[in-house]
Every structure is written in structure tokens, then in C-alpha cells.
Amino acid sequence: MIILGVDPGTLITGYGIIKLEKGTRVVLASDMIRNPANSTMPERLKKIYDRLTSVIEQYKPDELAIETAFYGKNVQSALKIGHARGVSILAAMNYDIPTAEYSPAKLKKQLRATERHPNSRYSSWLNRN
């Protein structure tokens, strides 16, 4: 199974591609999509969409894993992240790729536990998810 993980943002969107095979994880690629601060929102969203589409065509992931919406005090930031999430999910849906949403806190907690205890239940969770 190949998973495309996306950390959405309008200035910087991070992504990684991992392959899960027979209990092992192999990182196939990771990068950031950087947008200039002076670019317009439509330009930023197009660049995110175009780059993720290119990544999808190259690696043909079986699933998109993306952070759930962040509800903070800054409404403008939440809206901008929502835009980046939207085009990321749209890119996957246009290729019929199922999408799974995970909270940032849950991902960070499980990744930290996996690093400390590679044979823990979190490690098996990451291999399943």
C-alpha cells in the first residue's frame, strides 16, 4: 500500500509518500510545496493542486492521509488551511483515492511513541494506517 500524507498550508504544504509492505515502511519521497508570500490565494492553491496531482500521477498512492481541520483562535489562519486542505483532498478525489483524516495531536503522539518503542502498538497502528 502506498500512502500520500499531506500537511496542508497555503505558504508551505508538506507531503510524504510511504510504502507499507510486509510490516515495513519505506519512505519513497518527501518534499514541500513553497509559495511566495506575495502570491495570490488562487495562485497558491493552483500550485498546491498541480504539484500534488503530479505526485499522485508519479507514485499512484492508494490513500491520502491528511490532517483534520485545525480550530484555533485565528480564524483567518484556519480558513487558509481549509483552502489548502480542500485542494489537497480534491486532487486525491479526482483520482478516486480514498482520504483519511487524522488529528495533528494523534499523529504526533503516535509518531513519538513509535520512535521510542519501534515494536509498540503505535508501530502496528502506523503499519495499518
Side-chain angles (χ1 to χ4, degrees), residues 53-94:
T53 296
S54 176
V55 168
I56 288 167
E57 288 175 355
Q58 181 177 357
Y59 291 98
K60 299 178 180 17
D62 301 299
E63 181 178 304
L64 170 73
I66 191 165
E67 288 185 351
T68 56
F70 172 74
Y71 301 103
K73 294 180 182 178
N74 188 329
V75 175
Q76 285 299 316
S77 292
L79 287 171
K80 290 175 184 176
I81 291 171
H83 292 321
R85 288 183 76 248
V87 297
S88 300
I89 293 169
L90 177 62
M93 293 306 297
N94 280 342

Side-chain angles (χ1 to χ4, degrees), residues 7-89:
D7 181 4
T10 55
L11 287 177
I12 300 173
T13 291
Y15 69 87
I17 303 281
I18 61 169
K19 183 175 187 176
L20 304 177
E21 190 174 290
K22 297 178 184 173
T24 63
R25 279 187 309 268
V26 178
V27 177
L28 301 178
S30 63
D31 203 353
M32 290 181 277
I33 304 165
R34 294 179 183 269
N35 278 305
N38 63 350
S39 59
T40 66
M41 184 60 69
E43 291 169 333
R44 293 176 190 183
L45 298 175
K46 182 179 183 331
K47 184 174 182 180
I48 294 166
Y49 178 85
D50 288 347
R51 284 281 303 281
L52 288 178
T53 296
S54 176
V55 168
I56 288 167
E57 288 175 355
Q58 181 177 357
Y59 291 98
K60 299 178 180 17
D62 301 299
E63 181 178 304
L64 170 73
I66 191 165
E67 288 185 351
T68 56
F70 172 74
Y71 301 103
K73 294 180 182 178
N74 188 329
V75 175
Q76 285 299 316
S77 292
L79 287 171
K80 290 175 184 176
I81 291 171
H83 292 321
R85 288 183 76 248
V87 297
S88 300
I89 293 169

